[in-house]
Amino acid sequence: MSDPLPIRAAARRAGAALLLPLLLGACAAEVAPVTAVTPESFPESTELAIACRHDEALAALDRTEAARGGATSASELHRVVLLRDAGRALDAERVLRERNSRPDVSADDAVYSGNAVVEGLDSLRAARTARTGRPHCG
């Protein structure tokens, strides 16, 4: 009777040789980044926010999400931008906290989302300044 150990070792090597490309591919695969929040991403709600019509801007964002089949990471972050610009910081923090606590949002995504919101808010206010000469409403 032959020794089964060399056969098992050969099977392990063959299995490792088959799995190695899969493991390397999984490690090298890029994770999709959080989408940047720019005024161009949501033109209707952005235009309304620039005009300081925040309730209408949020309603427009709701319509956009419904038309696209639901909220996306970018639309959630845009909602946070709109809420912060409207002076509704507690609502903005609640939306951001709920978004970042989902299991599909990594710690890196959560950190990036804060930066994306700041950049989105800066972009919105820069657009308002260019049109009205002032960055804030009121």
Side-chain angles (χ1 to χ4, degrees):
M1 186 165 182
S2 65
D3 184 11
L5 289 179
I7 294 172
R8 280 190 240 165
R12 280 194 301 270
R13 282 192 302 273
L18 291 173
L19 289 176
L20 186 61
L22 293 173
L23 290 172
L24 289 175
C27 292
E30 289 186 33
V31 175
V34 175
T35 305
V37 183
T38 63
E40 299 80 30
S41 302
F42 303 94
E44 182 184 6
S45 59
T46 298
E47 286 299 316
L48 290 164
I50 289 170
C52 299
R53 296 164 49 193
H54 293 97
D55 290 337
E56 293 173 64
L58 290 163
L61 181 59
D62 289 339
R63 288 190 300 275
T64 299
E65 288 175 337
R68 293 180 181 176
T72 62
S73 180
S75 69
E76 290 170 329
L77 295 176
H78 188 62
R79 182 174 305 281
V80 173
V81 168
L82 295 176
L83 290 167
R84 283 194 181 169
D85 190 57
R88 296 171 54 185
L90 292 177
D91 291 334
E93 292 309 312
R94 178 187 48 78
V95 170
L96 191 59
R97 186 175 49 254
E98 288 172 1
R99 177 206 175 273
N100 289 342
S101 68
R102 288 195 327 250
D104 64 316
V105 178
S106 71
D108 287 341
D109 289 341
V111 169
Y112 175 78
S113 68
N115 295 335
V117 167
V118 169
E119 291 171 9
L121 190 55
D122 288 347
S123 181
L124 174 68
R125 289 180 176 164
R128 183 182 295 123
T129 301
R131 291 190 194 170
T132 67
R134 55 189 170 83
H136 300 282
C137 297

PDB file of all heavy atoms in Angstrom, residues 11-49:
ATOM      1  N   ALA A  11      -1.834  17.300  -3.324  1.00  0.00           N
ATOM      2  CA  ALA A  11      -3.166  17.891  -3.459  1.00  0.00           C
ATOM      3  C   ALA A  11      -3.199  19.290  -2.848  1.00  0.00           C
ATOM      4  O   ALA A  11      -3.811  20.205  -3.399  1.00  0.00           O
ATOM      5  CB  ALA A  11      -4.204  16.991  -2.796  1.00  0.00           C
ATOM      6  N   ARG A  12      -2.524  19.456  -1.715  1.00  0.00           N
ATOM      7  CA  ARG A  12      -2.476  20.784  -1.081  1.00  0.00           C
ATOM      8  C   ARG A  12      -1.742  21.773  -1.979  1.00  0.00           C
ATOM      9  O   ARG A  12      -2.165  22.909  -2.136  1.00  0.00           O
ATOM     10  CB  ARG A  12      -1.807  20.705   0.294  1.00  0.00           C
ATOM     11  CG  ARG A  12      -2.731  20.204   1.382  1.00  0.00           C
ATOM     12  CD  ARG A  12      -2.141  20.468   2.759  1.00  0.00           C
ATOM     13  NE  ARG A  12      -0.847  19.850   2.957  1.00  0.00           N
ATOM     14  CZ  ARG A  12      -0.637  18.622   3.446  1.00  0.00           C
ATOM     15  NH1 ARG A  12      -1.659  17.895   3.829  1.00  0.00           N
ATOM     16  NH2 ARG A  12       0.574  18.158   3.589  1.00  0.00           N
ATOM     17  N   ARG A  13      -0.626  21.337  -2.569  1.00  0.00           N
ATOM     18  CA  ARG A  13       0.122  22.225  -3.467  1.00  0.00           C
ATOM     19  C   ARG A  13      -0.720  22.591  -4.686  1.00  0.00           C
ATOM     20  O   ARG A  13      -0.749  23.739  -5.113  1.00  0.00           O
ATOM     21  CB  ARG A  13       1.434  21.578  -3.903  1.00  0.00           C
ATOM     22  CG  ARG A  13       2.520  21.641  -2.845  1.00  0.00           C
ATOM     23  CD  ARG A  13       3.869  21.250  -3.418  1.00  0.00           C
ATOM     24  NE  ARG A  13       3.880  19.910  -4.011  1.00  0.00           N
ATOM     25  CZ  ARG A  13       4.118  18.779  -3.349  1.00  0.00           C
ATOM     26  NH1 ARG A  13       4.383  18.799  -2.060  1.00  0.00           N
ATOM     27  NH2 ARG A  13       4.110  17.634  -3.973  1.00  0.00           N
ATOM     28  N   ALA A  14      -1.430  21.625  -5.237  1.00  0.00           N
ATOM     29  CA  ALA A  14      -2.272  21.893  -6.403  1.00  0.00           C
ATOM     30  C   ALA A  14      -3.406  22.850  -6.028  1.00  0.00           C
ATOM     31  O   ALA A  14      -3.726  23.785  -6.771  1.00  0.00           O
ATOM     32  CB  ALA A  14      -2.839  20.588  -6.964  1.00  0.00           C
ATOM     33  N   GLY A  15      -3.997  22.645  -4.859  1.00  0.00           N
ATOM     34  CA  GLY A  15      -5.064  23.536  -4.396  1.00  0.00           C
ATOM     35  C   GLY A  15      -4.546  24.944  -4.172  1.00  0.00           C
ATOM     36  O   GLY A  15      -5.188  25.928  -4.547  1.00  0.00           O
ATOM     37  N   ALA A  16      -3.364  25.058  -3.578  1.00  0.00           N
ATOM     38  CA  ALA A  16      -2.766  26.376  -3.342  1.00  0.00           C
ATOM     39  C   ALA A  16      -2.452  27.063  -4.665  1.00  0.00           C
ATOM     40  O   ALA A  16      -2.658  28.266  -4.810  1.00  0.00           O
ATOM     41  CB  ALA A  16      -1.508  26.244  -2.496  1.00  0.00           C
ATOM     42  N   ALA A  17      -1.991  26.286  -5.633  1.00  0.00           N
ATOM     43  CA  ALA A  17      -1.670  26.869  -6.940  1.00  0.00           C
ATOM     44  C   ALA A  17      -2.937  27.385  -7.622  1.00  0.00           C
ATOM     45  O   ALA A  17      -2.913  28.404  -8.316  1.00  0.00           O
ATOM     46  CB  ALA A  17      -0.983  25.834  -7.820  1.00  0.00           C
ATOM     47  N   LEU A  18      -4.066  26.723  -7.403  1.00  0.00           N
ATOM     48  CA  LEU A  18      -5.321  27.179  -7.996  1.00  0.00           C
ATOM     49  C   LEU A  18      -5.887  28.391  -7.249  1.00  0.00           C
ATOM     50  O   LEU A  18      -6.482  29.274  -7.844  1.00  0.00           O
ATOM     51  CB  LEU A  18      -6.346  26.050  -7.981  1.00  0.00           C
ATOM     52  CG  LEU A  18      -6.052  24.883  -8.919  1.00  0.00           C
ATOM     53  CD1 LEU A  18      -7.052  23.760  -8.694  1.00  0.00           C
ATOM     54  CD2 LEU A  18      -6.086  25.345 -10.368  1.00  0.00           C
ATOM     55  N   LEU A  19      -5.708  28.429  -5.951  1.00  0.00           N
ATOM     56  CA  LEU A  19      -6.270  29.514  -5.148  1.00  0.00           C
ATOM     57  C   LEU A  19      -5.427  30.784  -5.165  1.00  0.00           C
ATOM     58  O   LEU A  19      -5.951  31.877  -4.967  1.00  0.00           O
ATOM     59  CB  LEU A  19      -6.451  29.060  -3.700  1.00  0.00           C
ATOM     60  CG  LEU A  19      -7.568  28.058  -3.461  1.00  0.00           C
ATOM     61  CD1 LEU A  19      -7.583  27.623  -2.005  1.00  0.00           C
ATOM     62  CD2 LEU A  19      -8.907  28.644  -3.849  1.00  0.00           C
ATOM     63  N   LEU A  20      -4.132  30.643  -5.396  1.00  0.00           N
ATOM     64  CA  LEU A  20      -3.251  31.805  -5.338  1.00  0.00           C
ATOM     65  C   LEU A  20      -3.687  32.932  -6.277  1.00  0.00           C
ATOM     66  O   LEU A  20      -3.785  34.079  -5.840  1.00  0.00           O
ATOM     67  CB  LEU A  20      -1.802  31.393  -5.616  1.00  0.00           C
ATOM     68  CG  LEU A  20      -0.769  32.504  -5.452  1.00  0.00           C
ATOM     69  CD1 LEU A  20      -0.782  33.022  -4.017  1.00  0.00           C
ATOM     70  CD2 LEU A  20       0.600  31.992  -5.817  1.00  0.00           C
ATOM     71  N   PRO A  21      -4.001  32.668  -7.549  1.00  0.00           N
ATOM     72  CA  PRO A  21      -4.451  33.774  -8.407  1.00  0.00           C
ATOM     73  C   PRO A  21      -5.739  34.437  -7.900  1.00  0.00           C
ATOM     74  O   PRO A  21      -5.910  35.636  -7.998  1.00  0.00           O
ATOM     75  CB  PRO A  21      -4.675  33.121  -9.769  1.00  0.00           C
ATOM     76  CG  PRO A  21      -3.858  31.878  -9.738  1.00  0.00           C
ATOM     77  CD  PRO A  21      -3.825  31.437  -8.306  1.00  0.00           C
ATOM     78  N   LEU A  22      -6.639  33.624  -7.341  1.00  0.00           N
ATOM     79  CA  LEU A  22      -7.878  34.189  -6.804  1.00  0.00           C
ATOM     80  C   LEU A  22      -7.601  35.087  -5.608  1.00  0.00           C
ATOM     81  O   LEU A  22      -8.168  36.171  -5.488  1.00  0.00           O
ATOM     82  CB  LEU A  22      -8.838  33.067  -6.395  1.00  0.00           C
ATOM     83  CG  LEU A  22      -9.387  32.212  -7.529  1.00  0.00           C
ATOM     84  CD1 LEU A  22     -10.186  31.051  -6.972  1.00  0.00           C
ATOM     85  CD2 LEU A  22     -10.233  33.052  -8.460  1.00  0.00           C
ATOM     86  N   LEU A  23      -6.727  34.644  -4.723  1.00  0.00           N
ATOM     87  CA  LEU A  23      -6.396  35.453  -3.553  1.00  0.00           C
ATOM     88  C   LEU A  23      -5.680  36.737  -3.943  1.00  0.00           C
ATOM     89  O   LEU A  23      -5.977  37.808  -3.415  1.00  0.00           O
ATOM     90  CB  LEU A  23      -5.532  34.651  -2.578  1.00  0.00           C
ATOM     91  CG  LEU A  23      -6.230  33.504  -1.857  1.00  0.00           C
ATOM     92  CD1 LEU A  23      -5.222  32.674  -1.072  1.00  0.00           C
ATOM     93  CD2 LEU A  23      -7.305  34.031  -0.941  1.00  0.00           C
ATOM     94  N   LEU A  24      -4.749  36.633  -4.871  1.00  0.00           N
ATOM     95  CA  LEU A  24      -4.043  37.833  -5.321  1.00  0.00           C
ATOM     96  C   LEU A  24      -5.001  38.806  -5.993  1.00  0.00           C
ATOM     97  O   LEU A  24      -4.918  40.018  -5.785  1.00  0.00           O
ATOM     98  CB  LEU A  24      -2.907  37.462  -6.276  1.00  0.00           C
ATOM     99  CG  LEU A  24      -1.711  36.767  -5.630  1.00  0.00           C
ATOM    100  CD1 LEU A  24      -0.718  36.337  -6.696  1.00  0.00           C
ATOM    101  CD2 LEU A  24      -1.058  37.658  -4.606  1.00  0.00           C
ATOM    102  N   GLY A  25      -5.928  38.278  -6.777  1.00  0.00           N
ATOM    103  CA  GLY A  25      -6.912  39.144  -7.430  1.00  0.00           C
ATOM    104  C   GLY A  25      -7.802  39.836  -6.420  1.00  0.00           C
ATOM    105  O   GLY A  25      -8.114  41.015  -6.544  1.00  0.00           O
ATOM    106  N   ALA A  26      -8.194  39.116  -5.380  1.00  0.00           N
ATOM    107  CA  ALA A  26      -9.044  39.718  -4.350  1.00  0.00           C
ATOM    108  C   ALA A  26      -8.289  40.791  -3.580  1.00  0.00           C
ATOM    109  O   ALA A  26      -8.850  41.833  -3.246  1.00  0.00           O
ATOM    110  CB  ALA A  26      -9.542  38.627  -3.392  1.00  0.00           C
ATOM    111  N   CYS A  27      -7.025  40.551  -3.311  1.00  0.00           N
ATOM    112  CA  CYS A  27      -6.233  41.541  -2.580  1.00  0.00           C
ATOM    113  C   CYS A  27      -5.953  42.770  -3.429  1.00  0.00           C
ATOM    114  O   CYS A  27      -5.868  43.880  -2.916  1.00  0.00           O
ATOM    115  CB  CYS A  27      -4.910  40.939  -2.120  1.00  0.00           C
ATOM    116  SG  CYS A  27      -5.117  39.677  -0.855  1.00  0.00           S
ATOM    117  N   ALA A  28      -5.806  42.570  -4.723  1.00  0.00           N
ATOM    118  CA  ALA A  28      -5.454  43.682  -5.599  1.00  0.00           C
ATOM    119  C   ALA A  28      -6.676  44.457  -6.075  1.00  0.00           C
ATOM    120  O   ALA A  28      -6.549  45.551  -6.597  1.00  0.00           O
ATOM    121  CB  ALA A  28      -4.686  43.167  -6.817  1.00  0.00           C
ATOM    122  N   ALA A  29      -7.872  43.885  -5.899  1.00  0.00           N
ATOM    123  CA  ALA A  29      -9.079  44.566  -6.371  1.00  0.00           C
ATOM    124  C   ALA A  29      -9.258  45.873  -5.637  1.00  0.00           C
ATOM    125  O   ALA A  29      -9.056  45.965  -4.436  1.00  0.00           O
ATOM    126  CB  ALA A  29     -10.295  43.667  -6.145  1.00  0.00           C
ATOM    127  N   GLU A  30      -9.617  46.873  -6.386  1.00  0.00           N
ATOM    128  CA  GLU A  30      -9.823  48.181  -5.777  1.00  0.00           C
ATOM    129  C   GLU A  30     -11.217  48.246  -5.188  1.00  0.00           C
ATOM    130  O   GLU A  30     -12.176  47.758  -5.760  1.00  0.00           O
ATOM    131  CB  GLU A  30      -9.677  49.277  -6.823  1.00  0.00           C
ATOM    132  CG  GLU A  30      -8.265  49.462  -7.275  1.00  0.00           C
ATOM    133  CD  GLU A  30      -8.128  50.656  -8.198  1.00  0.00           C
ATOM    134  OE1 GLU A  30      -8.867  51.626  -8.009  1.00  0.00           O
ATOM    135  OE2 GLU A  30      -7.289  50.577  -9.084  1.00  0.00           O
ATOM    136  N   VAL A  31     -11.329  48.887  -4.051  1.00  0.00           N
ATOM    137  CA  VAL A  31     -12.612  49.127  -3.432  1.00  0.00           C
ATOM    138  C   VAL A  31     -13.133  50.430  -4.007  1.00  0.00           C
ATOM    139  O   VAL A  31     -12.399  51.410  -4.128  1.00  0.00           O
ATOM    140  CB  VAL A  31     -12.449  49.222  -1.898  1.00  0.00           C
ATOM    141  CG1 VAL A  31     -13.760  49.585  -1.242  1.00  0.00           C
ATOM    142  CG2 VAL A  31     -11.896  47.932  -1.353  1.00  0.00           C
ATOM    143  N   ALA A  32     -14.400  50.437  -4.371  1.00  0.00           N
ATOM    144  CA  ALA A  32     -14.980  51.654  -4.940  1.00  0.00           C
ATOM    145  C   ALA A  32     -14.973  52.756  -3.893  1.00  0.00           C
ATOM    146  O   ALA A  32     -15.418  52.551  -2.772  1.00  0.00           O
ATOM    147  CB  ALA A  32     -16.409  51.379  -5.401  1.00  0.00           C
ATOM    148  N   PRO A  33     -14.429  53.916  -4.228  1.00  0.00           N
ATOM    149  CA  PRO A  33     -14.385  55.002  -3.259  1.00  0.00           C
ATOM    150  C   PRO A  33     -15.756  55.625  -3.065  1.00  0.00           C
ATOM    151  O   PRO A  33     -16.645  55.468  -3.895  1.00  0.00           O
ATOM    152  CB  PRO A  33     -13.428  56.011  -3.913  1.00  0.00           C
ATOM    153  CG  PRO A  33     -13.565  55.744  -5.368  1.00  0.00           C
ATOM    154  CD  PRO A  33     -13.840  54.264  -5.498  1.00  0.00           C
ATOM    155  N   VAL A  34     -15.909  56.324  -1.965  1.00  0.00           N
ATOM    156  CA  VAL A  34     -17.120  57.082  -1.745  1.00  0.00           C
ATOM    157  C   VAL A  34     -17.189  58.145  -2.823  1.00  0.00           C
ATOM    158  O   VAL A  34     -16.202  58.802  -3.119  1.00  0.00           O
ATOM    159  CB  VAL A  34     -17.098  57.746  -0.347  1.00  0.00           C
ATOM    160  CG1 VAL A  34     -18.311  58.628  -0.161  1.00  0.00           C
ATOM    161  CG2 VAL A  34     -17.038  56.690   0.738  1.00  0.00           C
ATOM    162  N   THR A  35     -18.351  58.271  -3.420  1.00  0.00           N
ATOM    163  CA  THR A  35     -18.505  59.248  -4.485  1.00  0.00           C
ATOM    164  C   THR A  35     -18.398  60.657  -3.930  1.00  0.00           C
ATOM    165  O   THR A  35     -18.962  60.974  -2.895  1.00  0.00           O
ATOM    166  CB  THR A  35     -19.879  59.061  -5.158  1.00  0.00           C
ATOM    167  OG1 THR A  35     -19.991  57.706  -5.584  1.00  0.00           O
ATOM    168  CG2 THR A  35     -20.038  59.973  -6.347  1.00  0.00           C
ATOM    169  N   ALA A  36     -17.679  61.488  -4.647  1.00  0.00           N
ATOM    170  CA  ALA A  36     -17.529  62.873  -4.221  1.00  0.00           C
ATOM    171  C   ALA A  36     -18.869  63.593  -4.311  1.00  0.00           C
ATOM    172  O   ALA A  36     -19.685  63.306  -5.174  1.00  0.00           O
ATOM    173  CB  ALA A  36     -16.500  63.574  -5.098  1.00  0.00           C
ATOM    174  N   VAL A  37     -19.085  64.506  -3.411  1.00  0.00           N
ATOM    175  CA  VAL A  37     -20.298  65.305  -3.404  1.00  0.00           C
ATOM    176  C   VAL A  37     -19.973  66.637  -4.056  1.00  0.00           C
ATOM    177  O   VAL A  37     -19.244  67.445  -3.495  1.00  0.00           O
ATOM    178  CB  VAL A  37     -20.803  65.531  -1.963  1.00  0.00           C
ATOM    179  CG1 VAL A  37     -22.100  66.312  -1.981  1.00  0.00           C
ATOM    180  CG2 VAL A  37     -20.984  64.214  -1.243  1.00  0.00           C
ATOM    181  N   THR A  38     -20.477  66.823  -5.248  1.00  0.00           N
ATOM    182  CA  THR A  38     -20.239  68.083  -5.951  1.00  0.00           C
ATOM    183  C   THR A  38     -21.579  68.667  -6.352  1.00  0.00           C
ATOM    184  O   THR A  38     -22.553  67.936  -6.532  1.00  0.00           O
ATOM    185  CB  THR A  38     -19.383  67.860  -7.219  1.00  0.00           C
ATOM    186  OG1 THR A  38     -20.121  67.011  -8.110  1.00  0.00           O
ATOM    187  CG2 THR A  38     -18.042  67.233  -6.884  1.00  0.00           C
ATOM    188  N   PRO A  39     -21.644  69.971  -6.506  1.00  0.00           N
ATOM    189  CA  PRO A  39     -22.901  70.579  -6.939  1.00  0.00           C
ATOM    190  C   PRO A  39     -23.409  70.000  -8.258  1.00  0.00           C
ATOM    191  O   PRO A  39     -24.604  69.917  -8.470  1.00  0.00           O
ATOM    192  CB  PRO A  39     -22.552  72.061  -7.080  1.00  0.00           C
ATOM    193  CG  PRO A  39     -21.410  72.270  -6.168  1.00  0.00           C
ATOM    194  CD  PRO A  39     -20.639  70.975  -6.210  1.00  0.00           C
ATOM    195  N   GLU A  40     -22.504  69.588  -9.135  1.00  0.00           N
ATOM    196  CA  GLU A  40     -22.899  69.047 -10.424  1.00  0.00           C
ATOM    197  C   GLU A  40     -23.611  67.695 -10.300  1.00  0.00           C
ATOM    198  O   GLU A  40     -24.333  67.299 -11.202  1.00  0.00           O
ATOM    199  CB  GLU A  40     -21.679  68.888 -11.340  1.00  0.00           C
ATOM    200  CG  GLU A  40     -20.956  70.181 -11.641  1.00  0.00           C
ATOM    201  CD  GLU A  40     -20.021  70.629 -10.517  1.00  0.00           C
ATOM    202  OE1 GLU A  40     -19.476  69.790  -9.790  1.00  0.00           O
ATOM    203  OE2 GLU A  40     -19.845  71.845 -10.372  1.00  0.00           O
ATOM    204  N   SER A  41     -23.423  67.007  -9.185  1.00  0.00           N
ATOM    205  CA  SER A  41     -24.028  65.691  -8.996  1.00  0.00           C
ATOM    206  C   SER A  41     -25.543  65.777  -8.824  1.00  0.00           C
ATOM    207  O   SER A  41     -26.258  64.854  -9.194  1.00  0.00           O
ATOM    208  CB  SER A  41     -23.438  64.997  -7.777  1.00  0.00           C
ATOM    209  OG  SER A  41     -22.054  64.853  -7.893  1.00  0.00           O
ATOM    210  N   PHE A  42     -26.011  66.870  -8.270  1.00  0.00           N
ATOM    211  CA  PHE A  42     -27.426  67.045  -7.972  1.00  0.00           C
ATOM    212  C   PHE A  42     -27.838  68.466  -8.343  1.00  0.00           C
ATOM    213  O   PHE A  42     -28.023  69.320  -7.475  1.00  0.00           O
ATOM    214  CB  PHE A  42     -27.691  66.761  -6.486  1.00  0.00           C
ATOM    215  CG  PHE A  42     -27.243  65.391  -6.080  1.00  0.00           C
ATOM    216  CD1 PHE A  42     -25.983  65.196  -5.534  1.00  0.00           C
ATOM    217  CD2 PHE A  42     -28.058  64.296  -6.286  1.00  0.00           C
ATOM    218  CE1 PHE A  42     -25.562  63.922  -5.188  1.00  0.00           C
ATOM    219  CE2 PHE A  42     -27.640  63.016  -5.944  1.00  0.00           C
ATOM    220  CZ  PHE A  42     -26.379  62.828  -5.391  1.00  0.00           C
ATOM    221  N   PRO A  43     -27.969  68.745  -9.643  1.00  0.00           N
ATOM    222  CA  PRO A  43     -28.128  70.127 -10.085  1.00  0.00           C
ATOM    223  C   PRO A  43     -29.386  70.828  -9.561  1.00  0.00           C
ATOM    224  O   PRO A  43     -29.319  71.994  -9.164  1.00  0.00           O
ATOM    225  CB  PRO A  43     -28.141  70.028 -11.609  1.00  0.00           C
ATOM    226  CG  PRO A  43     -28.424  68.604 -11.921  1.00  0.00           C
ATOM    227  CD  PRO A  43     -27.941  67.805 -10.758  1.00  0.00           C
ATOM    228  N   GLU A  44     -30.523  70.140  -9.548  1.00  0.00           N
ATOM    229  CA  GLU A  44     -31.751  70.813  -9.119  1.00  0.00           C
ATOM    230  C   GLU A  44     -31.685  71.207  -7.649  1.00  0.00           C
ATOM    231  O   GLU A  44     -31.949  72.370  -7.295  1.00  0.00           O
ATOM    232  CB  GLU A  44     -32.973  69.916  -9.362  1.00  0.00           C
ATOM    233  CG  GLU A  44     -34.277  70.605  -8.983  1.00  0.00           C
ATOM    234  CD  GLU A  44     -35.498  69.713  -9.132  1.00  0.00           C
ATOM    235  OE1 GLU A  44     -35.356  68.510  -9.426  1.00  0.00           O
ATOM    236  OE2 GLU A  44     -36.607  70.239  -8.927  1.00  0.00           O
ATOM    237  N   SER A  45     -31.304  70.271  -6.786  1.00  0.00           N
ATOM    238  CA  SER A  45     -31.253  70.590  -5.361  1.00  0.00           C
ATOM    239  C   SER A  45     -30.154  71.602  -5.056  1.00  0.00           C
ATOM    240  O   SER A  45     -30.306  72.448  -4.178  1.00  0.00           O
ATOM    241  CB  SER A  45     -31.079  69.322  -4.522  1.00  0.00           C
ATOM    242  OG  SER A  45     -29.903  68.647  -4.870  1.00  0.00           O
ATOM    243  N   THR A  46     -29.071  71.551  -5.806  1.00  0.00           N
ATOM    244  CA  THR A  46     -27.986  72.510  -5.601  1.00  0.00           C
ATOM    245  C   THR A  46     -28.435  73.925  -5.973  1.00  0.00           C
ATOM    246  O   THR A  46     -28.160  74.877  -5.238  1.00  0.00           O
ATOM    247  CB  THR A  46     -26.749  72.105  -6.420  1.00  0.00           C
ATOM    248  OG1 THR A  46     -26.309  70.824  -5.964  1.00  0.00           O
ATOM    249  CG2 THR A  46     -25.625  73.108  -6.267  1.00  0.00           C
ATOM    250  N   GLU A  47     -29.118  74.050  -7.099  1.00  0.00           N
ATOM    251  CA  GLU A  47     -29.606  75.369  -7.512  1.00  0.00           C
ATOM    252  C   GLU A  47     -30.546  75.954  -6.459  1.00  0.00           C
ATOM    253  O   GLU A  47     -30.485  77.144  -6.145  1.00  0.00           O
ATOM    254  CB  GLU A  47     -30.314  75.286  -8.872  1.00  0.00           C
ATOM    255  CG  GLU A  47     -29.375  75.105 -10.032  1.00  0.00           C
ATOM    256  CD  GLU A  47     -28.387  76.253 -10.179  1.00  0.00           C
ATOM    257  OE1 GLU A  47     -28.795  77.423 -10.057  1.00  0.00           O
ATOM    258  OE2 GLU A  47     -27.200  75.976 -10.419  1.00  0.00           O
ATOM    259  N   LEU A  48     -31.413  75.114  -5.924  1.00  0.00           N
ATOM    260  CA  LEU A  48     -32.345  75.581  -4.893  1.00  0.00           C
ATOM    261  C   LEU A  48     -31.603  75.975  -3.617  1.00  0.00           C
ATOM    262  O   LEU A  48     -31.941  76.962  -2.970  1.00  0.00           O
ATOM    263  CB  LEU A  48     -33.399  74.513  -4.619  1.00  0.00           C
ATOM    264  CG  LEU A  48     -34.404  74.297  -5.766  1.00  0.00           C
ATOM    265  CD1 LEU A  48     -35.151  72.987  -5.588  1.00  0.00           C
ATOM    266  CD2 LEU A  48     -35.361  75.475  -5.867  1.00  0.00           C
ATOM    267  N   ALA A  49     -30.574  75.213  -3.271  1.00  0.00           N
ATOM    268  CA  ALA A  49     -29.785  75.539  -2.070  1.00  0.00           C
ATOM    269  C   ALA A  49     -29.013  76.834  -2.267  1.00  0.00           C
ATOM    270  O   ALA A  49     -28.923  77.644  -1.340  1.00  0.00           O
ATOM    271  CB  ALA A  49     -28.834  74.394  -1.727  1.00  0.00           C
TER     272      ALA A  49
END
